[in-house]
Amino acid sequence: MSKTIFFIFALLFSLSALAEKRLHYLKQIPVLHEGRIKPFDTYARVNLKEYLHKDSLPGMSASLWLFEVLFDQREAYNRKIFKINNPDVQKILNLKPAKGHTYNFIEVFSALGKVEEQINPLLSLEPEELTPEQKQLTTLFNNVYKYLNLSRSFSMFLPELEITHNELAQLLALPTGQKLSYFEINQSKWRLRNYLKNSNMQDQELLREASKIIQFFKFMEEDKFANFFKIIPSREIPEGESFSDNPWFAAWDMDFSKPADVLSLTRWHDLYRSYKGKDSTFMGASESILNHALKVSDGALSARKLWWEVQYNQFKLFNFAFVLYLIGFLVSMGFVITEKKALRIISIILVATGAFAHLINLSIRCYLLSRPPVSNLYESIIFVALIGVLFSLAMEKFRFQYSTVIGSLLGCILLMVSFGYEKDGDNLGMLVAVLDTNFWLAVHVITISIGYGCALVTSAMAHLFLYQKAFKNSLGDQQFKKQIHYCSLFSLFFVIIGTMLGGIWADQSWGRFWGWDPKENGALLICLWLLWAVHGKLAGVLKDTSYMVLISLTSVIVILAWFGVNLLSVGLHSYGFTENIAFNILVFVMAEILIIGFLLLKLMTKNRLQSY
Amino acid sequence: MSRIERTGLKILFFLADTKVFFVTTFWLMILLVLGTLAQTEMGLFEAQERYFSSWYFNWSFIPLPGGMPTMGLMTLGLLFHLVLKTRKITKKNIGTFITHVGALILLGGAFITNTASLEGSLILSEGETSNSFELYRKDPNDKRPGEGPASGKRAILPFSVTLVDFEKKFYQETLLAKSFKSVVIINDQDLQQERTISMNEPLRYKGYTFYQASFSENSQGETTDLAVVKNEGELLPYVSTILITLGLIIHLVFHIPRNKNETL
């Protein structure tokens, strides 16, 4: 029985693997989108994510889906890919509640057509002026337009017109009895032109038939609006300009009277025709498109990077790391409860493996983008998560028993937060000029992020200290206290140096070391907070418990400085507003205050609070 | 020792106490939060003047100490602490000693920058030459005309600057800026040289730093907005960063906690 199930699974797996194998080269074909040349696969995922909030369909990869949209609309238009979660929006559009809240193109397109007058005035408004429903409605409208645009990208290949007149077909050297496409007829257009120019004895009936072709051409050329899908690189790069600064073209951008332009579409035409054909023909056609683009780019495009990006999309190692952290956390909690050593060792292995996957994926990102690991908020979350996990694991040096509890919890929470940011389209995006690669900037951001990670771990350790003091019958382990103090100093080191390196970056870039910019102030606040706690302890103003409470609260300060600053959106550093972030920060801060307050209360009632 | 001398010494020792730092840091954190929040309402420049480089500010009608006295007291405290409380340099305290010297230099640098630096902007359209720039306002109560932080006062440069060309680039298919660049000629007596100022790569010449702050476009062409800074204390933060890094590393290395069953 189990063998049969295994066999079925193996078969299903290999079948889907076969279908994916067919797309091997297609996935790597470069497309220019949002200022970055990315593989077809990424482009497909980013698009699908915008419509469906997911980057694949059940049993269908994003690449296959996009291919269908481009070349086989009959199937594509019936796929349920537009997610409309909001029941109010469903009501406005007069759509029946559907399973998974997803609708196909035909449903949504006709529904939008009926309320066009309602939507049109909204489109010219700023997003801030719209209600949530209106915003969703305009987003949907734009998405449907984009989808329509995409789906007409290669309409010149669609067989639409049948030539019934035998002599005309002969004249054009085209077959009768089958539908022909714009692209195919276009290649014989010169014969008709020659005939009209040279022949004196023009056949009236033939001319009537020929005018149908001209009408058909006019009709098809209305699709020239469909130019979102930029897949054809500039053929000639002006002297002194880089490949990436030159425009790319969509199929309909081509001039169909120029043979060179038509020629660049032939490869895509071959691909279109091999769609239903044998795997080898299909793969050959897609490989030739890929190779041609690489050749034209003259070394500016890297085949290896395109391949790696496809793998990066496929394997999603951050998700893998997240799962390992999660299991690691559960196992480590098992250790906390049962105190079995084996569980602790298993949790270390799990968390360390997760950290390894995490590190590998981060390195792939750096390779793909040719830039240091942290340059936007999304990347900083992933990086801080890794630092947190690694720093916790390093606590093993102190034989700190709960290193994996803290490490895996931090890894889980931060990666989960980062997944929220992955929804925003391409997470390998480009940077605005100010934040583009600069040595001091890179060093500054990496250092301060290490500081954030260490400070969060230290704060978690201080929580644990308070918990032990409140619930276990100990006065607080002296050793543990020293370790926490050392970790605070260690975090302080990275936060202070990171902040000062930020000043050096600012001085190098703008000629001033410090400008009281919100992000700078945020970093300084963490420095001052830790300095305050450490010096308070040294001056004897703060006793153990108060010191630990302050160190516990470092997490709140870090989160405020790290995320809260983006809410103020003044100054150069704010990376842009993300919805709901204020609410999440508030929840976190309240939770921390409640937890720490509760521990403190418990301590006080136990009369353990000898003095402040 | 006279009574005055004794009181003086007492005050110095009082200032040298770590508690002074504890109190001033706390107040500085409050200023930092107030100043940062205020930036959303009054803008970066005004908030900075009100909270960080002021002697006092009025909270409704109560005058409260601003950044100047807070950081001043912090600096004095640190100075006296280093002078009066350092008895012997040992393996245990050399790290903190170096770090504190670094911090003192940082705070000193901040005062020099605040009192003796020039900041302003130089707006040039293509082909235009100028040998002066408009200063930013120093005093928030200064209500002379001028937009934003601009004061209407100009400072003379010991050379002149001509804008040859302004260039901007966007990422393909987006409105996301990729780079801005101003090509200028510096005319210093008989010497002329062409230099480029771009985002993150300012031009440094004779103690003046020019960086690409902004630009504008109209039918006549492009105009570049260069920020100009002259700061005598520019090197101090670098020295301070090196000292603090070094000091903290030494301290951390000498203070690694031992594992259990070992004495610290």
Side-chain angles (χ1 to χ4, degrees):
Chain A
M1 182 63 194
S2 64
K3 256 188 190 169
T4 336
I5 293 173
F6 173 77
F7 183 73
I8 291 169
F9 268 105
L11 190 72
L12 282 175
F13 185 74
S14 52
L15 270 181
S16 71
L18 270 180
E20 289 300 305
K21 182 97 182 62
R22 191 180 147 91
L23 304 178
H24 180 77
Y25 294 110
L26 177 78
K27 283 183 177 176
Q28 297 173 51
I29 291 173
V31 184
L32 180 75
H33 174 235
E34 288 176 347
R36 189 170 79 88
I37 298 165
K38 52 190 77 170
F40 186 91
D41 184 54
T42 307
Y43 184 77
R45 284 170 196 264
V46 171
N47 266 288
L48 188 56
K49 238 189 303 187
E50 274 170 29
Y51 310 144
L52 189 65
H53 310 310
K54 265 194 227 160
D55 71 352
S56 67
L57 287 162
M60 190 182 207
S61 69
S63 292
L64 192 58
W65 163 78
L66 178 61
F67 193 78
E68 205 182 70
V69 174
L70 294 169
F71 290 127
D72 189 3
Q73 289 81 31
R74 206 168 309 155
E75 291 285 327
Y77 283 175
N78 285 309
R79 289 213 188 266
K80 296 192 178 295
I81 58 139
F82 290 99
K83 193 164 194 118
I84 306 170
N85 270 331
N86 192 331
D88 292 333
V89 177
Q90 288 175 11
K91 220 172 277 164
I92 295 171
L93 291 173
N94 221 348
L95 288 167
K96 287 191 195 93
K99 199 179 137 210
H101 308 295
T102 52
Y103 301 89
N104 69 31
F105 172 70
I106 296 171
E107 289 170 316
V108 180
F109 187 73
S110 56
L112 279 171
K114 281 172 201 148
V115 292
E116 212 182 332
E117 278 148 41
Q118 234 173 306
I119 299 174
N120 273 336
L122 302 178
L123 293 171
S124 53
L125 296 175
E126 293 293 319
E128 298 84 52
E129 299 173 272
L130 301 173
T131 64
E133 290 89 51
Q134 288 175 332
K135 215 191 273 180
Q136 283 171 25
L137 212 56
T138 52
T139 310
L140 182 69
F141 184 86
N142 289 329
N143 280 344
V144 166
Y145 177 74
K146 206 187 309 178
Y147 179 90
L148 178 69
N149 191 309
L150 264 183
S151 74
R152 298 304 288 176
S153 298
F154 288 111
S155 54
M156 72 290 287
F157 295 157
L158 302 177
E160 299 275 2
L161 186 77
E162 191 179 334
I163 301 177
T164 43
H165 194 266
N166 275 330
E167 274 170 58
L168 180 63
Q170 243 167 33
L171 174 74
L172 292 172
L174 289 168
T176 50
Q178 72 184 72
K179 285 193 172 170
L180 295 168
S181 68
Y182 177 91
F183 187 75
E184 284 162 332
I185 301 173
N186 180 67
Q187 282 174 331
S188 300
K189 218 169 59 180
W190 61 276
R191 294 175 205 270
L192 184 65
R193 207 177 297 131
N194 276 357
Y195 172 77
L196 294 176
K197 235 188 249 167
N198 302 328
S199 169
N200 300 323
M201 308 234 303
Q202 287 172 349
D203 179 344
Q204 287 305 310
E205 200 187 329
L206 190 138
L207 281 184
R208 220 174 303 124
E209 287 295 318
S211 75
K212 272 190 202 161
I213 294 185
I214 293 164
Q215 269 173 10
F216 169 67
F217 267 59
K218 276 207 183 117
F219 173 72
M220 287 307 289
E221 276 161 13
E222 279 173 18
D223 273 356
K224 278 193 190 270
F225 81 97
N227 65 350
F228 283 1
F229 190 52
K230 305 284 188 200
I231 29 95
I232 299 161
S234 297
R235 264 195 306 276
E236 280 152 29
I237 313 292
E239 192 89 15
E241 281 193 35
S242 77
F243 182 72
S244 58
D245 289 335
N246 271 278
W248 282 44
F249 306 99
W252 273 116
D253 288 335
M254 293 286 104
D255 185 343
F256 284 85
S257 59
K258 280 190 190 154
D261 276 20
V262 174
L263 197 68
S264 55
L265 280 179
T266 326
R267 287 182 192 84
W268 283 94
H269 191 231
D270 291 344
L271 183 70
Y272 168 73
R273 281 193 308 186
S274 64
Y275 173 40
K276 296 242 156 95
K278 261 190 275 174
D279 283 359
S280 58
T281 344
F282 182 82
M283 285 173 76
S286 39
E287 191 186 8
S288 107
I289 295 172
L290 173 64
N291 287 340
H292 178 72
L294 291 172
K295 209 179 92 198
V296 173
S297 82
D298 197 22
L301 276 178
S302 149
R304 210 173 289 152
K305 275 192 183 178
L306 290 168
W307 184 84
W308 271 105
E309 190 170 335
V310 174
Q311 308 310 309
Y312 173 87
N313 291 338
Q314 175 103 41
F315 289 104
K316 296 189 177 164
L317 284 180
F318 290 139
N319 293 13
F320 180 66
F322 173 77
V323 172
L324 284 176
Y325 293 154
L326 191 65
I327 303 172
F329 177 69
L330 296 175
V331 174
S332 67
M333 286 315 283
F335 165 71
V336 172
I337 295 160
T338 62
E339 303 229 322
K340 279 196 177 121
K341 261 217 157 130
L343 287 178
R344 185 171 157 224
I345 290 162
I346 294 171
S347 75
I348 292 175
I349 294 169
L350 283 167
V351 176
T353 319
F356 185 68
H358 197 150
L359 180 69
I360 295 285
N361 220 28
L362 205 65
S363 314
I364 297 176
R365 281 186 69 91
C366 294
Y367 166 67
L368 290 178
L369 294 167
S370 321
R371 68 175 190 222
V374 198
S375 22
N376 57 33
L377 191 55
Y378 170 73
E379 289 176 11
S380 80
I381 300 168
I382 288 171
F383 185 77
V384 171
L386 181 64
I387 295 297
V389 174
L390 292 178
F391 189 61
S392 311
L393 286 177
M395 289 299 109
E396 282 299 317
K397 186 188 174 330
F398 296 151
R399 308 208 185 115
F400 171 51
Q401 292 192 62
Y402 304 114
S403 67
T404 52
V405 181
I406 291 175
S408 57
L409 186 65
L410 209 61
C412 276
I413 294 175
L414 288 177
L415 279 184
M416 202 141 82
V417 174
S418 83
F419 294 154
Y421 285 83
E422 280 182 9
K423 283 195 199 108
D424 305 347
D426 184 6
N427 59 57
L428 288 158
M430 303 312 270
L431 297 170
V432 288
V434 203
L435 297 174
D436 207 352
T437 329
N438 171 291
F439 173 78
W440 290 108
L441 169 64
V443 178
H444 148 65
V445 182
I446 289 172
T447 317
I448 200 140
S449 303
I450 294 176
Y452 288 174
C454 297
L456 288 176
V457 173
T458 311
S459 156
M461 286 167 77
H463 282 72
L464 200 64
F465 180 89
L466 290 177
Y467 168 80
Q468 283 180 341
K469 217 176 162 190
F471 289 95
K472 302 249 166 102
N473 288 325
S474 76
L475 284 169
D477 186 344
Q478 288 302 309
Q479 202 68 35
F480 191 29
K481 215 159 64 191
K482 275 185 186 135
Q483 288 166 0
I484 294 173
H485 182 62
Y486 187 77
C487 288
S488 325
L489 290 179
F490 196 81
S491 317
L492 192 55
F493 170 77
F494 282 102
V495 179
I496 287 185
I497 303 303
T499 309
M500 294 184 76
L501 284 167
I504 291 181
W505 167 50
D507 185 53
Q508 292 288 323
S509 297
W510 311 302
R512 59 149 185 80
F513 183 79
W514 195 258
W516 304 102
D517 175 287
K519 195 81 192 178
E520 288 169 338
N521 293 352
L524 182 61
L525 187 64
I526 306 178
C527 296
L528 289 177
W529 179 266
L530 285 170
L531 283 170
W532 187 54
V534 167
H535 284 83
K537 182 180 141 87
L538 288 174
V541 188
L542 300 173
K543 292 286 180 306
D544 281 354
T545 310
S546 337
Y547 177 67
M548 288 302 171
V549 167
L550 290 188
I551 296 294
S552 300
L553 285 172
T554 310
S555 61
V556 172
I557 306 288
V558 169
I559 295 300
L560 286 178
W562 187 13
F563 292 96
V565 167
N566 294 307
L567 298 178
L568 300 173
S569 56
V570 262
L572 291 160
H573 287 285
S574 40
Y575 316 106
F577 186 82
T578 313
E579 277 168 55
N580 294 333
I581 198 170
F583 179 73
N584 290 334
I585 292 176
L586 193 71
V587 169
F588 177 80
V589 173
M590 297 301 283
E592 273 294 62
I593 289 172
L594 277 179
I595 292 169
I596 296 166
F598 172 72
L599 290 173
L600 200 60
L601 204 71
K602 185 80 188 168
L603 270 169
M604 283 161 89
T605 51
K606 276 184 107 178
N607 271 337
R608 294 259 162 102
L609 203 67
Q610 296 103 338
S611 57
Y612 301 114
Chain B
M1 216 188 272
S2 74
R3 242 183 77 195
I4 299 167
E5 277 174 336
R6 243 180 294 146
T7 343
L9 211 59
K10 245 188 200 167
I11 292 171
L12 292 190
F13 267 96
F14 172 76
L15 281 174
D17 197 310
T18 314
K19 282 181 187 123
V20 171
F21 182 79
F22 185 74
V23 175
T24 49
T25 324
F26 181 74
W27 185 246
L28 191 56
M29 282 196 280
I30 295 198
L31 287 178
L32 205 56
V33 173
L34 289 177
T36 311
L37 292 177
Q39 288 181 8
T40 49
E41 282 164 35
M42 54 174 82
L44 201 138
F45 184 78
E46 301 239 336
Q48 178 183 333
E49 295 293 320
R50 180 171 154 91
Y51 292 101
F52 305 133
S53 31
S54 61
W55 284 96
Y56 71 93
F57 64 95
N58 287 320
W59 186 64
S60 68
F61 61 93
I62 312 160
L64 291 170
M68 272 294 208
T70 313
M71 285 186 274
L73 195 58
M74 198 183 266
T75 314
L76 288 179
L78 181 54
L79 179 66
F80 295 133
H81 184 87
L82 283 179
V83 174
L84 300 173
K85 299 257 170 125
T86 315
R87 301 247 177 271
K88 210 166 94 192
I89 303 236
T90 59
K91 213 171 113 179
K92 269 197 123 165
N93 72 4
I94 179 148
T96 37
F97 182 74
I98 296 174
T99 310
H100 283 143
V101 171
L104 196 60
I105 291 174
L106 184 70
L107 287 163
F111 276 93
I112 293 176
T113 306
N114 198 41
T115 47
S117 73
L118 293 178
E119 264 187 87
S121 77
L122 175 58
I123 296 170
L124 287 173
S125 36
E126 284 175 330
E128 194 184 341
T129 304
S130 174
N131 69 340
S132 66
F133 62 98
E134 184 164 15
L135 288 169
Y136 292 150
R137 242 179 309 156
K138 279 254 158 168
D139 180 1
N141 301 318
D142 185 350
K143 287 279 184 267
R144 262 175 306 199
E147 233 173 87
S151 66
K153 273 192 289 188
R154 294 189 80 86
I156 306 293
L157 292 165
F159 49 87
S160 73
V161 184
T162 311
L163 179 67
V164 181
D165 184 30
F166 177 77
E167 253 181 62
K168 60 177 187 303
K169 272 187 188 164
F170 292 95
Y171 286 107
Q172 283 292 319
E173 306 286 308
T174 64
L175 288 174
L176 196 63
K178 192 177 180 186
S179 65
F180 307 126
K181 197 163 90 176
S182 299
V183 181
V184 295
I185 291 181
I186 295 175
N187 318 287
D188 192 358
Q189 284 150 4
D190 299 330
L191 208 68
Q192 282 205 342
Q193 41 180 317
E194 195 179 281
R195 301 280 282 271
T196 310
I197 303 166
S198 62
M199 208 55 119
N200 290 343
E201 273 166 50
L203 161 66
R204 283 160 209 274
Y205 191 78
K206 291 206 166 167
Y208 290 87
T209 308
F210 297 83
Y211 61 89
Q212 188 69 57
S214 181
F215 70 93
S216 60
E217 253 181 318
N218 56 27
S219 50
Q220 272 99 54
E222 286 157 329
T223 303
T224 190
D225 183 351
L226 302 171
V228 190
V229 184
K230 183 179 163 71
N231 183 2
E232 305 294 346
E234 205 190 345
L235 267 182
L236 295 179
Y238 290 79
V239 177
S240 164
T241 307
I242 294 168
L243 287 178
I244 291 181
T245 311
L246 200 72
L248 283 175
I249 289 177
I250 293 173
H251 184 83
L252 286 169
V253 168
F254 285 153
H255 286 80
I256 296 173
R258 306 275 149 48
N259 284 330
K260 281 176 191 171
N261 313 324
E262 288 176 60
T263 47
L264 194 75

